[in-house]
Amino acid sequence: MIHMGFSGLVAFFLVRVFKVVSPVKMTFEIYATCVIPISAFFASSLWFGNTAYLHISVAFIQMLKALMPVATFVMAVLCGTDKLRCDVFSNMVLVSVGVVISSYGEIHFNVVGTVYQVTGIFAEALRLVLTQVLLQKKGLTLNPVTSLYYIAPCSFVFLFVPWFLLEKPTMELSHIKFNFWIFFTNALCALALNFSIFLVIGRTGAVTIRVAGVLKDWILIALSTVIFPESTITGLNIIGYAIALCGVVMYNYIKVKDVRASQLSAESIPERLTKDWKLEKKSSDIFKPNNSGESSGGMGSGTDAYGDEEAPLIPSARLSYLGRTQLGNHAA
């Protein structure tokens, strides 16, 4: 709740006071149908995810986060933004088996903490899918500053309600030692995280982001065992997480390959249009009639006769029509 309040306040100053970025055209209908549902699931993922830390270890939480691709894929299929594919489904099964093995090997296994973490993962997955579905339908593009400007205050409200009803009654203010600098630097870290995600996406590519995510999980697991002695890792933990990690890496590879294939197909369209234009020009040069009514592509010139072995077999008018049709489709 403090993170969302601080991020929303900083975003407000950047947008309204310093005018670093301009706000998008936001109507009440878009805010009610897009921003509020996204903020609700974002707040849910934060609430459930943070509550899990009270029950299970940091290392085990990172192992459970390997389920994130599974949750995202399931939600995407249910919402109709992705299709059920055998190769992706087999990877999801592999990840799930690895997480189950890792959970079985957890020494301090806690059902409540595991349920909290898995619920938070699926809430985050649903938020991602809703962001894609709702914002793309409205034609909105939000950068991190404008995203925080609209979503952070709404998420603050959604987090304030359970805090006020569930946590505040059990808090004893006399036992709380509020240190401003600890909370301030902590909120700055949360703000920096949101901006760094945007910078990494903008400056690098999908491969770097996914590899960095896997590396981050390994670093967090290793550091948690050093910093927190209660985060004991067993051999079964490592085996299960390694199996899940293999599924995650394969899933990332499939997604990156799909992105590259779509980029190559998009780049090949102008090349085909250029080739068709050259063939059309070549065809018009070959079949251009001379003054005697004979084509200049007759037997009078050996170069004309045999130099254009790749001349198109489609008449020039038909070729022009095809070129215009592809150009129209490409423009559309």
Side-chain angles (χ1 to χ4, degrees):
M1 184 182 68
I2 293 175
H3 288 169
M4 289 298 101
F6 180 79
S7 299
L9 185 63
V10 172
F12 175 81
F13 277 99
L14 291 177
V15 174
R16 292 298 181 183
V17 179
F18 300 106
K19 299 187 183 300
V20 177
V21 294
S22 300
V24 300
K25 187 178 180 181
M26 181 68 65
T27 63
F28 177 78
E29 187 264 338
I30 295 177
Y31 193 87
T33 58
C34 295
V35 176
I36 291 180
I38 292 172
S39 302
F41 284 107
F42 186 35
S44 300
S45 67
L46 292 174
W47 181 19
F48 289 115
N50 288 339
T51 308
Y53 283 93
L54 301 176
H55 303 276
I56 53 181
S57 65
V58 176
F60 185 50
I61 285 176
Q62 293 306 127
M63 295 178 186
L64 289 177
K65 284 184 178 180
L67 284 173
M68 190 64 200
V70 179
T72 306
F73 177 69
V74 171
M75 292 301 175
V77 171
L78 293 177
C79 294
T81 60
D82 204 346
K83 295 181 180 179
L84 188 62
R85 295 166 46 181
C86 293
D87 53 353
V88 178
F89 180 75
S90 60
N91 289 334
M92 299 301 100
V93 172
L94 185 63
V95 172
S96 302
V97 170
V99 171
V100 170
I101 294 175
S102 180
S103 301
Y104 184 77
E106 177 65 16
I107 296 177
H108 307 290
F109 182 80
N110 185 285
V111 177
V112 176
T114 303
V115 171
Y116 272 126
Q117 182 59 39
V118 173
T119 305
I121 289 172
F122 275 89
E124 175 67 11
L126 191 54
R127 180 190 73 87
L128 294 174
V129 175
L130 280 178
T131 302
Q132 179 183 359
V133 173
L134 298 178
L135 294 184
Q136 283 184 356
K137 282 186 177 180
K138 304 298 182 180
L140 293 178
T141 54
L142 301 177
N143 59 45
V145 178
T146 52
S147 297
L148 290 175
Y149 176 72
Y150 292 109
I151 294 176
C154 193
S155 298
F156 173 84
V157 175
F158 280 111
L159 289 170
F160 177 82
V161 173
W163 172 79
F164 185 80
L165 296 177
L166 300 177
E167 292 186 3
K168 187 177 180 299
T170 61
M171 294 174 61
E172 296 183 9
L173 297 178
S174 59
H175 295 166
I176 296 177
K177 296 180 180 180
F178 183 81
N179 189 316
F180 171 79
W181 293 108
I182 290 179
F183 281 93
F184 179 72
T185 53
N186 188 269
L188 277 180
C189 289
L191 182 66
L193 173 64
N194 289 306
F195 286 128
S196 65
I197 291 173
F198 170 73
L199 291 175
V200 171
I201 293 174
R203 302 276 180 172
T204 62
V207 179
T208 305
I209 296 169
R210 296 180 185 278
V211 172
V214 173
L215 182 62
K216 179 207 69 174
D217 292 338
W218 278 109
I219 293 175
L220 279 174
I221 292 173
L223 284 179
S224 66
T225 58
V226 175
I227 298 175
F228 305 105
E230 67 273 11
S231 298
T232 306
I233 297 180
T234 64
L236 205 56
N237 277 143
I238 298 175
I239 293 174
Y241 184 67
I243 294 174
L245 193 62
C246 290
V248 173
V249 170
M250 292 171 62
Y251 171 78
N252 292 341
Y253 173 75
I254 292 174
K255 286 298 180 182
V256 170
K257 189 171 65 173
D258 291 343
V259 171
R260 287 182 174 177
S262 62
Q263 290 176 349
L264 289 176
S265 62
E267 291 174 356
S268 63
I269 293 177
E271 295 177 1
R272 292 200 303 268
L273 292 175
T274 303
K275 185 177 180 181
D276 288 344
W277 177 80
K278 289 180 180 180
L279 291 175
E280 180 181 356
K281 186 177 182 300
K282 188 182 295 184
S283 175
S284 62
D285 292 341
I286 296 172
F287 295 102
K288 182 179 180 180
N290 55 21
N291 294 333
S292 61
E294 298 176 296
S295 66
S296 59
M299 298 299 293
S301 171
T303 304
D304 291 338
Y306 301 103
D308 276 316
E309 294 181 358
E310 297 182 0
L313 300 178
I314 307 176
S316 177
R318 175 62 176 163
L319 189 59
S320 301
Y321 170 75
L322 289 176
R324 290 192 300 271
T325 303
Q326 291 191 8
L327 184 61
N329 293 335
H330 176 58

